Amino acid sequence: MKAINFTTQKIRLVAALFCVAYILIQSFQEYVFRTIPAPNNLTEELLQGAMPIHISRSMLLLLSFFTMIYIFLVIILHDFRKNILLFAIAFLGLFIFCFLEIGIRSIELFYTQLQMPAAFLQTKDQDVKNSIISNYSAFQSVQTALYFPLMLTQAIASAIISFVFSPRPKINFLIRTAFALNAFRLVGRLTAMFFDVNWFDSFSGGLYLPFTIVIFGLITIWLIKAKDQIHISDRSA
């Protein structure tokens, strides 16, 4: 069976479509958060998660991280032979990011949005209700803790790609810029979340979607305009 060549234009165009889909999903998530009133307490937050629009948001976001693995693989394999070790480390970091996101989003969707609210509404026992809310709070604490390795590995991988990716041809400037911005954004989010530097809060708030659109917009343009890599071994085949 012939191996799939991840450096062809068709493969990149599929990745570009996934990037556009990710931008739309993130925009939809922003719309959901801005449209639905902010909950006043954990109970309201738990029950809001069971709303169809929230479930749709979570399902789309979960699926997007599977496609993200494909996007990162296409980008890294395009330049992989230039520095196999560093690009392998970068892909490992990005894979860890996607793996953790898939795990978190799966628990969020199937446990805290589908199972927990249903159990909360079905029981009349206040102790059971309090236990469900306590478990929900515990999940949020674990989720916050997992965001440290999730964002750190992605930041390191993004920094590696921004420095190692070949500057030639000129179109590669888009990839180098996109991952440099991503590394900067992630360092800002880590600083805000774990070191209480309020100035960086906007990276997880108002600047989150604009940065996402710019970063994945640049990646999309590169995926569409980049040329196939031609190696000596390919010419002699």
Side-chain angles (χ1 to χ4, degrees):
M1 181 180 294
K2 186 177 179 180
I4 299 175
N5 182 358
F6 278 89
T7 64
T8 65
Q9 184 181 38
K10 289 183 179 180
I11 293 292
R12 289 195 303 277
L13 288 178
V14 172
L17 290 175
F18 285 153
C19 283
V20 173
Y22 184 70
I23 291 173
L24 293 176
I25 290 169
Q26 289 287 353
S27 299
F28 174 63
Q29 176 169 259
E30 184 73 11
Y31 167 79
V32 172
F33 288 150
R34 289 182 177 274
T35 301
I36 299 176
N40 295 315
N41 50 55
L42 279 178
T43 301
E44 287 188 13
E45 186 176 338
L46 173 69
L47 296 178
Q48 275 189 2
M51 296 172 64
I53 193 170
H54 264 302
I55 292 174
S56 298
R57 171 193 65 80
S58 296
M59 177 63 76
L60 290 171
L61 201 59
L62 171 59
L63 294 175
S64 73
F65 288 109
F66 287 97
T67 65
M68 196 74 68
I69 297 174
Y70 177 90
I71 294 169
F72 291 145
L73 186 63
V74 170
I75 293 170
I76 286 177
L77 288 182
H78 183 84
D79 219 32
F80 189 69
R81 299 187 191 186
K82 297 292 177 60
N83 196 318
I84 294 175
L85 176 60
L86 288 179
F87 276 121
I89 293 173
F91 181 73
L92 178 62
L94 295 173
F95 181 80
I96 291 173
F97 154 68
C98 292
F99 178 80
L100 290 174
E101 279 283 15
I102 289 170
I104 291 171
R105 301 299 173 180
S106 295
I107 295 171
E108 179 183 43
L109 174 62
F110 297 110
Y111 183 51
T112 70
Q113 291 183 266
L114 294 177
Q115 182 177 333
M116 281 181 134
F120 184 90
L121 292 173
Q122 287 172 2
T123 185
K124 295 182 179 180
D125 190 323
Q126 189 59 44
D127 289 338
V128 175
K129 288 180 180 288
N130 291 338
S131 177
I132 292 172
I133 295 299
S134 178
N135 289 338
Y136 180 63
S137 178
F139 164 74
Q140 290 183 322
S141 298
V142 172
Q143 182 182 38
T144 300
L146 286 175
Y147 265 98
F148 180 77
L150 181 154
M151 289 193 287
L152 180 62
T153 54
Q154 189 190 5
I156 293 172
S158 296
I160 290 173
I161 294 173
S162 69
F163 282 107
V164 177
F165 210 86
S166 176
R168 296 288 183 271
K170 291 183 179 180
I171 192 69
N172 288 353
F173 173 77
L174 297 177
I175 284 292
R176 292 164 64 90
T177 301
F179 280 94
L181 286 173
N182 197 44
F184 173 73
R185 174 183 72 94
L186 290 164
V187 170
R189 292 189 65 190
L190 284 166
T191 303
M193 290 180 67
F194 298 101
F195 300 101
D196 295 324
V197 180
N198 295 332
W199 189 85
F200 290 102
D201 284 340
S202 58
F203 286 106
S204 296
L207 291 178
Y208 179 84
L209 182 60
F211 261 85
T212 298
I213 292 173
V214 171
I215 290 167
F216 283 89
L218 292 173
I219 293 174
T220 300
I221 296 171
W222 179 85
L223 287 167
I224 293 172
K225 292 182 172 293
K227 303 298 182 182
D228 293 354
Q229 288 280 46
I230 299 177
H231 304 286
I232 295 175
S233 58
D234 298 329
R235 291 171 177 168
S236 60

